[in-house]
């Protein structure tokens, strides 16, 4: 991909890039990605479906606006999505802005990917959560059980714009591209009747945010690896694995110094050092809890699954039992595929939870009150009843997975 960008590189810096961003083939590839991801309409109320009806025309307009420098991003529509007992803000750019950001990413990502280190796994091509977890597991088995579990407070909301742009400029010298990145960082945010311009951070939900956030944390990766530290990072979630308490405390001091130098701060209540082989001194990472020498499903991960299952198994929901189970199974299988390496103690509990929810649906259809927890319900609809209807169960899947190891 770097070769495809042409000869616009001198002294390790890339100059002529803007023409690659507004090239019709780049915008078309960007539009196809945005269309696949679907997503809601932004402040202009133009949906994916509506854009699709005049895609060629809209893309030509974008190309001309980017070429002559008249393109200006619209405000980002703020929405709130459930998170635990509360909610977290998410920015929804317009479809046009998502296309332009994707085009920027297509051009910039290969440049920075060449610089990024193997210790970074989040939002990178051909890398993911499972790769990061395998690496953590490998180091723990090698005796690196003293772990720095660090949490950067409000990372995405507090990245200083000037310092982030300075990171971008280390490899990119195309003024138009730099100006476009800055305009996206300074997009107005529209929350109901309130509108303001952010002075820091990269909006969560923006296409460019993962790349820019990785870029800003890249120097932390460099600092830790240069110092001989073992860091495994997934976006802003990272752990440093050490062989002794002294080494771990020294690593934490280095991380604290780096965050202070870069306008960030560690969360005082969510950052700690501990030997994860000692029960109660473990750490959370990518949905798992590593504690007492074992890997568990994190409580918050269990709660997220249960909340999703509750939404799909309300007592008044329609559809046959076979149809309901067909809707549940992909979620259950996907969740198990990720957490199958956890201790199996939670799996029977979740199986029981799912069946109780389904029994409550069946009770409601027979106009009987209650939540499917009585012995008569178990006799009326035994586990075998749901097995006949094809319900995926964690306990059986875990038993099969354990046999094949």
């Amino acid at each position: 991909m770097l070769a495809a960008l042409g000869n616009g590189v001198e002294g390790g810096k890339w100059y002529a890039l803007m023409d690659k961003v507004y090239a019709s083939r780049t915008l078309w590839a960007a539009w196809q990605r945005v269309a696949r991801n679907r997503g809601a309409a932004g402040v202009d109320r133009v949906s994916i479906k509506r854009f699709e009806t005049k895609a060629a025309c809209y893309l030509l307009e974008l190309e001309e606006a980017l070429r002559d420098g008249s393109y200006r991003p619209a405000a980002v529509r703020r929405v709130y999505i459930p998170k635990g007992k509360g909610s977290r803000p998410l920015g929804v750019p317009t479809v046009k802005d998502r296309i332009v950001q994707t085009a920027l990413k297509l051009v910039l990502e290969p440049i920075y990917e060449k610089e990024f280190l193997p210790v970074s796994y989040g939002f990178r091509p051909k890398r993911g959560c499972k790769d990061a977890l395998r690496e953590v597991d490998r180091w723990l088995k090698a005796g690196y059980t003293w772990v720095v579990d660090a949490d950067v407070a409000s990372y995405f909301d507090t990245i200083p714009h000037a310092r982030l742009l300075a990171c971008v400029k280390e490899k990119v010298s195309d003024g138009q591209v730099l100006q476009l990145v800055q305009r996206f960082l300074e997009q107005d945010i529209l929350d109901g009747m309130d509108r303001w311009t952010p002075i820091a951070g990269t909006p969560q939900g923006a296409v460019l945010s993962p790349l820019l956030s990785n870029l800003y944390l890249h120097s932390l990766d460099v600092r830790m690896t240069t110092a001989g530290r073992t860091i495994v990072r997934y976006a802003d979630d990272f752990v440093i694995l050490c062989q002794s308490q002294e080494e771990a405390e020294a690593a934490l001091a280095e991380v604290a110094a780096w965050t202070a130098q870069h306008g960030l701060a560690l969360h005082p209540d969510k950052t700690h050092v501990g030997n994860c082989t000692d029960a109660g001194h473990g750490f959370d990472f990518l949905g798992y809890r590593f504690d007492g020498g074992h890997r568990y499903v994190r409580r918050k991960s269990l709660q997220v699954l249960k909340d999703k299952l509750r939404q799909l198994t309300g007592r008044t929901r329609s559809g046959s039992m076979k149809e309901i189970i067909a809707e549940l199974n992909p979620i259950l299988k996907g969740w198990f595929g990720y957490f199958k390496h956890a201790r199996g103690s939670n799996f029977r509990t979740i199986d029981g939870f799912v069946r109780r929810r389904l029994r409550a649906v069946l009770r409601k259809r027979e106009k009987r009150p209650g939540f499917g927890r009585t012995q008569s319900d178990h006799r009326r609809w035994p586990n075998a009843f749901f097995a006949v209807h094809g319900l995926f169960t964690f306990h059986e899947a875990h038993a099969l997975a354990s046999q094949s190891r």
Side-chain angles (χ1 to χ4, degrees):
M1 178 64 185
L2 285 175
L5 294 178
N7 299 318
V9 59
E10 295 177 24
K13 284 195 174 186
W14 295 79
Y15 289 83
L17 291 174
M18 192 61 189
D19 60 325
K20 315 299 189 300
V21 175
Y22 63 66
S24 56
R25 64 179 180 276
T26 307
L27 290 174
W28 183 255
W31 153 241
Q32 288 180 312
R33 290 194 181 194
V34 171
R36 280 198 303 270
N37 292 335
R38 308 311 295 175
V43 293
D44 61 359
R45 299 185 179 182
V46 175
S47 64
I48 293 288
K49 190 173 182 180
R50 179 176 164 188
F51 191 98
E52 197 169 22
T53 61
K54 296 174 64 179
C57 179
Y58 284 136
L59 291 175
L60 184 59
E61 289 175 2
L62 278 178
E63 181 179 341
E64 291 172 353
L66 289 166
R67 186 192 300 270
D68 63 26
S70 63
Y71 177 83
R72 297 292 184 278
V76 174
R77 182 169 65 88
R78 173 160 285 188
V79 297
Y80 294 87
I81 60 174
K83 183 179 181 181
K85 295 181 180 178
S87 61
R88 72 178 178 94
L90 190 69
V92 182
T94 64
V95 174
K96 287 184 179 180
D97 286 346
R98 298 207 291 272
I99 291 170
V100 175
Q101 285 199 39
T102 303
L104 263 175
K105 183 186 175 187
L106 287 171
V107 172
L108 294 178
E109 187 173 63
I111 295 171
Y112 295 112
E113 268 296 314
K114 188 182 176 188
E115 307 299 320
F116 290 162
L117 300 183
V119 300
S120 167
Y121 293 86
F123 306 107
R124 295 185 59 190
K126 298 180 181 178
R127 287 172 160 256
C129 294
K130 292 182 180 180
D131 301 307
L133 288 165
R134 274 193 288 269
E135 189 68 358
V136 167
D137 196 50
R138 183 172 76 85
W139 285 107
L140 290 176
K141 288 175 179 175
Y144 288 66
T145 58
W146 278 92
V147 179
V148 178
D149 182 12
D151 184 282
V152 181
S154 303
Y155 174 63
F156 283 91
D157 296 328
T158 57
I159 303 174
H161 285 173
R163 294 182 183 183
L164 175 56
L165 284 168
C167 292
V168 179
K169 290 177 183 177
E170 287 180 10
K171 288 294 172 185
V172 173
S173 290
D174 187 311
Q176 288 179 289
V177 167
L178 293 170
Q179 187 178 59
L180 193 55
V181 171
Q182 183 170 358
R183 284 174 177 163
F184 278 122
L185 289 175
E186 297 173 352
Q187 273 181 286
D188 279 4
I189 297 174
L190 190 63
D191 188 351
M193 298 297 291
D194 297 326
R195 183 175 180 136
W196 70 93
T197 303
I199 58 173
T202 60
Q204 294 190 56
V207 177
L208 270 179
S209 287
L211 176 61
L212 294 177
S213 67
N214 270 336
L215 177 59
Y216 200 65
L217 285 169
H218 172 61
S219 67
L220 174 64
D221 299 340
V222 172
R223 181 162 178 168
M224 291 295 105
T225 53
T226 302
R229 308 296 184 199
T230 300
I231 182 172
V232 179
R233 183 172 67 79
Y234 189 96
D236 62 326
D237 193 1
F238 63 91
V239 290
I240 302 168
L241 301 104
C242 307
Q243 292 179 295
S244 68
Q245 182 175 358
E246 293 75 21
E247 184 188 349
E249 289 175 349
L252 177 57
E254 291 168 12
V255 172
W258 182 90
T259 53
Q261 290 166 5
H262 288 76
L264 304 170
L266 293 177
H267 197 298
D269 300 325
K270 297 181 180 179
T271 300
H272 76 282
V273 168
N275 187 340
C276 66
T277 59
D278 297 336
H281 294 275
F283 63 96
D284 295 331
F285 189 60
L286 301 180
Y288 277 92
R289 174 75 184 171
F290 295 81
D291 203 348
H294 299 288
R295 198 198 290 195
Y296 302 90
V297 179
R298 191 181 177 192
R299 287 182 182 177
K300 189 179 287 187
S301 304
L302 279 172
Q303 193 57 51
V304 169
L305 174 65
K306 286 185 175 182
D307 289 344
K308 187 177 290 186
L309 295 174
R310 283 190 183 97
Q311 292 174 3
L312 295 173
T313 55
R315 289 194 296 156
T316 58
R317 73 150 292 166
S318 60
S320 68
M321 185 53 54
K322 194 167 185 178
E323 290 170 339
I324 296 173
I325 287 173
E327 195 173 340
L328 293 177
N329 276 349
I331 295 169
L332 297 172
K333 289 176 181 179
W335 195 90
F336 178 77
Y338 185 78
F339 287 107
K340 63 185 176 183
H341 297 294
R343 291 202 78 183
S345 54
N346 292 124
F347 294 138
R348 281 187 181 273
T349 304
I350 302 170
D351 288 338
F353 172 81
V354 173
R355 286 190 288 256
R356 282 196 304 275
R357 299 288 302 178
L358 295 176
R359 288 186 183 107
V361 172
L362 294 168
R363 281 182 68 93
K364 180 69 174 177
R365 291 179 179 181
E366 292 187 353
K367 296 184 169 51
R368 296 162 60 197
F371 295 92
R373 296 180 179 178
T374 67
Q375 286 298 319
S376 62
D377 289 326
H378 281 263
R379 288 192 294 271
R380 174 82 171 80
W381 302 293
N383 295 356
F385 170 84
F386 300 106
V388 168
H389 285 77
L391 180 65
F392 177 86
T393 59
F394 291 141
H395 175 66
E396 291 180 6
H398 186 255
L400 286 171
S402 298
Q403 291 171 12
S404 61
R405 287 174 195 162

